[in-house]
Amino acid sequence: MKYDRILVRYGELSTKGRNRNKFVDKLKRSINRVIRNFPTATIEADRERMYILLGEEKVEDIAKALKNIFGIQSFSPAVKVEKNVELMKQIALSLVQKLYQPGLCFKVSAKRIDKTFELGTDEMNREFGAHLLINIPGLKVNVKQPDINLRIEVRAEAAYLYCENILGAGGYPVGSNGKAMLMLSGGIDSPVAGYLSLKRGVEIEGVHFYSPPFTSERAKQKVIDLTEKLANISGTIALHIVPFTEIQQMIQDQVPSNYTMTTTRRLMLRITDEIRRRQNGLAIITGESLGQVASQTLESMYTINQVTNTPILRPLVMMDKTEIISLAQQIDTYDISIRPFEDCCTIFVPSSPKTKPKLDKVEHFESFVDFEPFIQKAVDNTELMIIRPGESLKQNVIEDLF
Ligand code: ATP
Ligand code: MG
């Protein structure tokens, strides 16, 4: 006996009412991207559930890949069989035999969706249970806490049998909750913020500010590598690399040093917002975490945030650094993030940035220059890179995340 399919359950999607078809479509696309690496596997989907039909592939390999796909609540390797009680019993026996070890107990959970089937639910539970007890010496029944739960679903077209229920990654399929711009620095936090956004179904485009010659190609490469890690989860990601040197130098000339950090952040936000507008995004995502550094006090966030009404999503805002690091390690971005590099912000960072910058003050300092044409120029000169999933996708580096 060989599993011929994997039954995929959508979970949270079921709350989505009329949008369901769109969600199923996005999920199908996410699964398709992974299934492409398994040439003989195919997908069959309806509104309720999805089946991955297995060809030559090992079920374990596909299961490992499915665990990383957002929007899957759980899945089960299963066998489809004709609605013939004798055949079904044979399959039931080989499924349980495969998992049985001395001392394990079991139960049968039958479901009769096709009401014309000759056996009722209780009858199926009893008959299949008896068949297993007779044929597997030592096997015991435990309906409250079974080690093996044999499920039998009798549907209109056939019966499906399976024992395992493997937890998926949860969340929503990537792209099912709109698009946002992820401000990616090269540090530890922003890739994690990107990962959590993807988990909620948000499609992301990266925005990175760099200041040549003060920041090197290596720093840029780091952001490309981080984006590739995220692309392994979401599929191709657009990365906008913004030349920021000219504006940073203007800020140094115009603004008192303890306010340069605040103005720098405000301008980064204005530029990101302009890119968002041009790309039809709906929000901006940052890796900010409350209180972590001077720019991330509530006073700073308030003053910086005044430049836009666009929603700013901060998935890490209430997380501790240790939690963020642990997530970064799980998604395999940590080792890239800790490579030494020069960030455009750290290079120009003042020795004592204001931790409680005042809005009226920063607005006053900025009022002497019209930054708008420089913002447009930076956006016009922004380099667009298309980052595709890398080789690591095939090895499924992100294992057993949740
Ligand atoms: P990270 O680990 O993501 O670099 P951080 O703790 O170093 O964050 P900051 O340097 O204050 O914190 O940056 C806060 C957020 O601002 C970052 O998470 C990122 O979203 C954004 N940001 C900072 N620098 C850049 C940059 N050079 N390009 C794009 N976004 C940036
Ligand atoms: Mg940083």
Side-chain angles (χ1 to χ4, degrees), residues 71-111:
I72 296 181
Q73 183 200 34
S74 66
F75 59 92
S76 302
V79 182
K80 179 179 182 179
V81 56
E82 186 186 315
K83 287 183 285 184
N84 168 313
V85 176
E86 283 317 306
L87 270 180
M88 288 161 66
K89 278 184 182 169
Q90 279 174 29
I91 301 287
L93 181 59
S94 56
L95 275 179
V96 176
Q97 263 167 343
K98 226 176 151 121
L99 296 174
Y100 181 68
Q101 284 169 8
L104 294 190
C105 50
F106 87 111
K107 82 169 191 182
V108 179
S109 309
K111 219 181 194 175

Coordinates of all heavy atoms in Angstrom, one line a residue, residues 71-111:
G71 N -1.1 29.4 5.0 CA -2.5 29.2 4.6 C -2.9 27.7 4.7 O -4.1 27.4 4.5
I72 N -1.9 26.8 5.0 CA -2.3 25.4 5.3 C -2.4 25.2 6.8 O -1.5 25.5 7.5 CB -1.2 24.5 4.7 CG1 -1.1 24.6 3.2 CG2 -1.5 23.0 5.1 CD1 -0.1 23.7 2.6
Q73 N -3.6 24.8 7.2 CA -3.8 24.5 8.6 C -3.2 23.2 9.0 O -2.5 23.0 10.0 CB -5.3 24.6 8.9 CG -5.6 24.4 10.4 CD -7.0 23.9 10.7 OE1 -7.6 23.2 9.9 NE2 -7.5 24.4 11.8
S74 N -3.6 22.1 8.2 CA -3.0 20.8 8.5 C -3.1 20.0 7.2 O -3.8 20.4 6.3 CB -3.8 20.1 9.6 OG -5.1 19.9 9.2
F75 N -2.4 18.9 7.2 CA -2.5 18.0 6.0 C -2.3 16.5 6.4 O -1.8 16.3 7.5 CB -1.6 18.4 4.9 CG -0.1 18.5 5.3 CD1 0.7 17.4 5.1 CD2 0.4 19.6 5.9 CE1 2.0 17.4 5.5 CE2 1.8 19.6 6.3 CZ 2.6 18.5 6.1
S76 N -2.8 15.6 5.6 CA -2.7 14.2 5.9 C -2.4 13.4 4.7 O -3.1 13.5 3.7 CB -4.1 13.7 6.4 OG -4.5 14.4 7.5
P77 N -1.3 12.6 4.7 CA -1.1 11.6 3.6 C -2.3 10.7 3.6 O -2.7 10.2 4.7 CB 0.2 10.9 4.0 CG 0.8 11.9 5.0 CD -0.3 12.6 5.7
A78 N -2.9 10.4 2.5 CA -4.1 9.6 2.5 C -4.1 8.6 1.3 O -3.3 8.7 0.4 CB -5.3 10.6 2.4
V79 N -5.1 7.7 1.3 CA -5.3 6.8 0.2 C -6.8 6.9 -0.2 O -7.7 7.0 0.6 CB -5.1 5.3 0.6 CG1 -5.3 4.4 -0.5 CG2 -3.7 5.2 1.2
K80 N -7.0 7.1 -1.5 CA -8.3 7.1 -2.1 C -8.7 5.7 -2.5 O -7.8 5.0 -3.2 CB -8.3 8.1 -3.3 CG -9.7 8.2 -4.0 CD -9.6 9.1 -5.2 CE -10.9 9.3 -5.9 NZ -10.9 10.3 -7.0
V81 N -9.8 5.2 -2.2 CA -10.2 3.9 -2.6 C -11.7 3.8 -2.9 O -12.5 4.6 -2.4 CB -9.8 2.9 -1.4 CG1 -10.5 3.3 -0.1 CG2 -10.2 1.5 -1.7
E82 N -12.0 2.9 -3.8 CA -13.3 2.7 -4.3 C -14.2 2.3 -3.0 O -13.7 1.7 -2.1 CB -13.2 1.5 -5.2 CG -14.4 1.0 -5.9 CD -14.1 -0.3 -6.7 OE1 -13.0 -0.4 -7.3 OE2 -14.8 -1.2 -6.6
K83 N -15.5 2.7 -3.1 CA -16.4 2.4 -1.9 C -16.8 1.0 -1.8 O -17.9 0.6 -2.0 CB -17.6 3.3 -2.0 CG -17.2 4.8 -1.7 CD -18.5 5.7 -1.7 CE -19.0 5.9 -3.1 NZ -20.1 6.9 -3.1
N84 N -15.8 0.1 -1.5 CA -16.0 -1.3 -1.4 C -15.5 -1.7 0.0 O -14.3 -1.5 0.3 CB -15.3 -2.0 -2.6 CG -15.2 -3.5 -2.4 OD1 -14.9 -4.0 -1.4 ND2 -15.5 -4.1 -3.5
V85 N -16.3 -2.2 0.8 CA -15.9 -2.4 2.2 C -14.7 -3.3 2.3 O -13.8 -3.1 3.1 CB -17.1 -3.0 3.0 CG1 -16.7 -3.4 4.5 CG2 -18.3 -2.1 3.1
E86 N -14.6 -4.4 1.5 CA -13.5 -5.3 1.6 C -12.2 -4.6 1.3 O -11.2 -4.7 2.0 CB -13.7 -6.6 0.7 CG -14.6 -7.6 1.3 CD -14.4 -7.8 2.8 OE1 -13.3 -8.1 3.2 OE2 -15.4 -7.7 3.6
L87 N -12.2 -3.9 0.2 CA -11.0 -3.1 -0.3 C -10.6 -2.1 0.8 O -9.4 -1.9 1.1 CB -11.3 -2.3 -1.6 CG -11.1 -3.0 -2.9 CD1 -11.4 -2.1 -4.0 CD2 -9.6 -3.4 -3.0
M88 N -11.6 -1.4 1.3 CA -11.3 -0.4 2.3 C -10.7 -1.0 3.6 O -9.8 -0.4 4.2 CB -12.6 0.3 2.7 CG -13.1 1.3 1.7 SD -14.9 1.7 1.9 CE -14.9 2.6 3.4
K89 N -11.1 -2.2 3.9 CA -10.6 -2.9 5.1 C -9.1 -3.3 4.9 O -8.3 -3.1 5.8 CB -11.3 -4.2 5.4 CG -12.6 -4.0 6.2 CD -13.3 -5.3 6.5 CE -14.6 -5.1 7.3 NZ -15.3 -6.3 7.4
Q90 N -8.8 -3.7 3.6 CA -7.4 -4.0 3.3 C -6.5 -2.8 3.5 O -5.4 -2.8 4.1 CB -7.3 -4.5 1.9 CG -7.6 -5.9 1.6 CD -7.6 -6.3 0.1 OE1 -6.9 -5.7 -0.6 NE2 -8.5 -7.2 -0.3
I91 N -7.0 -1.7 3.0 CA -6.2 -0.4 3.0 C -6.1 0.0 4.5 O -5.0 0.4 5.0 CB -6.9 0.7 2.2 CG1 -7.0 0.3 0.8 CG2 -6.1 2.0 2.4 CD1 -5.7 0.4 0.0
A92 N -7.2 -0.1 5.3 CA -7.2 0.3 6.7 C -6.1 -0.5 7.4 O -5.3 0.1 8.2 CB -8.6 0.1 7.3
L93 N -6.1 -1.8 7.1 CA -5.1 -2.7 7.8 C -3.7 -2.3 7.5 O -2.9 -2.1 8.4 CB -5.4 -4.1 7.5 CG -4.5 -5.2 8.1 CD1 -4.6 -5.1 9.7 CD2 -4.9 -6.6 7.6
S94 N -3.4 -2.1 6.2 CA -2.0 -1.8 5.9 C -1.6 -0.4 6.4 O -0.5 -0.2 6.8 CB -1.7 -1.9 4.4 OG -2.6 -1.1 3.7
L95 N -2.6 0.6 6.5 CA -2.2 1.9 7.0 C -1.9 1.8 8.5 O -0.9 2.4 9.0 CB -3.4 2.8 6.9 CG -3.7 3.6 5.6 CD1 -4.9 4.4 5.7 CD2 -2.5 4.5 5.3
V96 N -2.7 1.1 9.3 CA -2.4 1.0 10.7 C -1.2 0.1 11.0 O -0.3 0.4 11.8 CB -3.7 0.4 11.4 CG1 -3.4 0.2 12.9 CG2 -4.8 1.4 11.3
Q97 N -1.0 -0.9 10.2 CA 0.2 -1.8 10.3 C 1.5 -1.0 10.1 O 2.5 -1.2 10.8 CB 0.2 -2.9 9.3 CG -0.4 -4.2 9.9 CD -0.7 -5.3 8.8 OE1 -0.8 -4.9 7.6 NE2 -0.8 -6.5 9.3
K98 N 1.4 -0.1 9.2 CA 2.6 0.8 8.9 C 3.0 1.6 10.2 O 4.2 1.8 10.4 CB 2.2 1.8 7.8 CG 3.1 2.0 6.7 CD 2.5 2.9 5.7 CE 3.6 3.7 5.0 NZ 3.6 3.5 3.6
L99 N 2.1 2.0 11.0 CA 2.4 2.9 12.1 C 2.5 2.1 13.4 O 3.0 2.6 14.4 CB 1.3 3.9 12.3 CG 1.1 4.9 11.1 CD1 -0.1 5.8 11.3 CD2 2.4 5.8 11.0
Y100 N 2.0 0.9 13.4 CA 1.9 0.1 14.7 C 3.2 -0.3 15.3 O 4.1 -0.7 14.6 CB 1.0 -1.1 14.5 CG 0.8 -1.9 15.8 CD1 0.1 -1.3 16.9 CD2 1.5 -3.1 16.0 CE1 0.0 -2.0 18.1 CE2 1.4 -3.8 17.2 CZ 0.6 -3.2 18.2 OH 0.5 -3.8 19.4
Q101 N 3.3 0.0 16.6 CA 4.4 -0.6 17.4 C 3.8 -1.1 18.6 O 2.7 -0.6 19.1 CB 5.3 0.6 17.8 CG 6.2 1.0 16.6 CD 7.0 2.3 16.9 OE1 7.0 2.8 18.1 NE2 7.6 2.8 15.9
P102 N 4.4 -2.2 19.2 CA 3.8 -2.8 20.4 C 3.5 -1.8 21.5 O 4.3 -0.9 21.8 CB 4.9 -3.8 20.9 CG 5.7 -4.0 19.7 CD 5.7 -2.8 18.8
G103 N 2.3 -1.9 22.1 CA 1.9 -1.0 23.1 C 1.0 0.1 22.6 O 0.3 0.8 23.4
L104 N 0.9 0.4 21.4 CA 0.1 1.5 20.9 C -1.4 1.1 20.8 O -1.7 0.0 20.6 CB 0.6 1.9 19.4 CG 2.0 2.5 19.3 CD1 2.2 3.1 17.9 CD2 2.2 3.6 20.4
C105 N -2.2 2.2 21.1 CA -3.6 1.9 21.0 C -4.2 2.7 19.8 O -3.6 3.7 19.3 CB -4.3 2.2 22.3 SG -3.9 3.8 22.9
F106 N -5.5 2.4 19.5 CA -6.1 3.1 18.3 C -7.5 3.3 18.4 O -8.2 2.8 19.4 CB -5.8 2.2 17.1 CG -6.9 1.2 16.8 CD1 -7.8 1.2 15.8 CD2 -7.0 0.1 17.7 CE1 -8.7 0.3 15.6 CE2 -8.0 -0.9 17.6 CZ -8.9 -0.8 16.5
K107 N -8.1 4.1 17.5 CA -9.5 4.1 17.4 C -9.8 4.4 15.9 O -8.9 4.8 15.1 CB -10.2 5.2 18.2 CG -10.1 6.6 17.7 CD -11.0 7.5 18.6 CE -11.3 8.8 18.0 NZ -12.1 9.7 18.8
V108 N -11.1 4.2 15.5 CA -11.5 4.4 14.1 C -12.5 5.6 14.2 O -13.4 5.6 15.0 CB -12.2 3.2 13.5 CG1 -12.7 3.5 12.1 CG2 -11.3 2.0 13.6
S109 N -12.3 6.6 13.3 CA -13.2 7.7 13.3 C -13.8 7.7 11.8 O -13.2 8.3 10.9 CB -12.5 9.0 13.5 OG -11.8 9.0 14.7
A110 N -14.9 7.2 11.7 CA -15.5 7.1 10.3 C -16.5 8.3 10.1 O -17.0 8.9 11.1 CB -16.3 5.8 10.2
K111 N -16.6 8.7 8.9 CA -17.5 9.8 8.6 C -18.3 9.4 7.3 O -17.6 9.1 6.3 CB -16.7 11.0 8.3 CG -17.2 12.3 8.8 CD -16.3 13.4 8.4 CE -16.4 14.7 8.9 NZ -15.3 15.5 8.5

